[in-house]
C-alpha cells in the first residue's frame, strides 16, 4: 500500500485503469470494511431522486409528437422553441449560418447538418421527442 501511494508523489503513474481509487485507498487505510463508509457521496439506487412521471415542455405548442393537422397553426414550430424543448447545452450550432437545418414536414422536428460531397454530416442530436429519435429524419439527398 505504501508503494502504491508513493507512486502518486510525482503524478499518477500509468495504470491502464487498474488504479484502485481514493475511496478504496481510504477504506483500506481506515479498515472500515465497506467502500460506502469511505465515500462522501456513494452511489445507491435508493438514494436517487424519483423520476418525474411526465416531462413538462417549456413550449407545449412546439411538441413534435403532435402532427401538423393536430396543431392550431399550420406553420412549423419556431426553431428556438424546439431548442428550448428538446435541445441540449452542448449543441450551439442550430442558429449558426454555416449549418443547414432540415425540418420534418409533419412533426416539425429538426436536424442540423453540413452538406459534404452528396452526404450530410449530422450536427448533434435531432430536436424531437426521444421516442422519435430512432426514426430517420435525415434528408435523403443533399444537393
Amino acid at each position: 500500500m505504501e508503494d502504491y501511494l508513493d507512486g502518486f508523489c510525482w503524478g499518477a503513474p500509468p495504470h491502464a485503469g487498474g488504479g484502485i481509487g481514493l475511496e478504496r485507498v481510504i477504506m483500506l487505510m481506515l479498515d472500515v470494511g465497506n467502500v460506502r463508509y469511505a465515500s462522501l457521496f456513494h452511489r445507491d439506487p435508493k438514494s436517487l431522486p424519483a423520476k418525474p412521471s411526465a416531462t413538462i415542455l417549456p413550449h407545449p405548442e412546439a411538441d413534435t409528437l403532435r402532427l401538423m393537422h393536430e396543431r392550431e397553426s399550420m406553420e412549423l414550430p419556431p426553431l428556438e422553441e424546439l431548442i428550448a424543448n428538446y435541445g441540449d447545452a452542448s449543441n450551439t450550432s442550430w442558429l449558426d449560418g454555416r449549418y443547414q437545418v432540415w425540418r420534418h414536414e409533419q412533426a416539425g422536428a429538426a436536424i442540423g447538418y453540413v452538406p459534404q460531397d452528396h452526404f450530410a454530416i449530422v450536427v448533434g442530436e435531432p430536436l424531437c421527442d426521444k421516442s422519435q429519435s430512432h426514426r430517420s429524419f435525415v434528408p435523403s439527398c443533399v444537393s
Side-chain angles (χ1 to χ4, degrees):
M1 177 57 100
E2 186 176 335
D3 293 334
Y4 181 78
L5 292 175
D6 285 341
F8 288 97
C9 288
W10 304 102
H15 51 72
I20 61 175
L22 181 63
E23 284 94 359
R24 295 197 187 276
V25 170
I26 292 173
M27 177 192 76
L28 293 172
M29 290 175 73
L30 298 178
D31 195 28
V32 292
N34 190 336
V35 72
R36 288 181 180 205
Y37 299 134
S39 177
L40 184 59
F41 300 108
H42 65 273
R43 288 178 249 158
D44 184 4
K46 295 178 184 174
S47 67
L48 295 174
K51 209 173 193 183
S53 59
T55 304
I56 299 173
L57 298 174
H59 299 281
E61 65 279 0
D63 187 3
T64 59
L65 292 175
R66 293 176 36 211
L67 298 178
M68 290 300 285
H69 66 275
E70 299 171 355
R71 298 174 199 240
E72 294 174 11
S73 171
M74 293 304 288
E75 296 179 10
L76 292 174
L79 196 57
E80 292 82 1
E81 292 180 4
L82 285 178
I83 294 170
N85 283 351
Y86 306 111
D88 60 354
S90 64
N91 189 357
T92 59
S93 61
W94 287 104
L95 303 176
D96 189 332
R98 296 174 292 176
Y99 301 97
Q100 296 183 18
V101 178
W102 180 83
R103 303 289 300 268
H104 190 268
E105 295 171 358
Q106 291 298 313
I111 285 194
Y113 68 97
V114 178
Q116 182 70 36
D117 297 328
H118 302 290
F119 293 99
I121 301 171
V122 176
V123 180
E125 295 291 322
L127 294 178
C128 63
D129 190 78
K130 294 292 180 194
S131 65
Q132 297 171 315
S133 62
H134 68 281
R135 298 180 186 169
S136 176
F137 287 123
V138 180
S140 59
C141 179
V142 177
S143 55

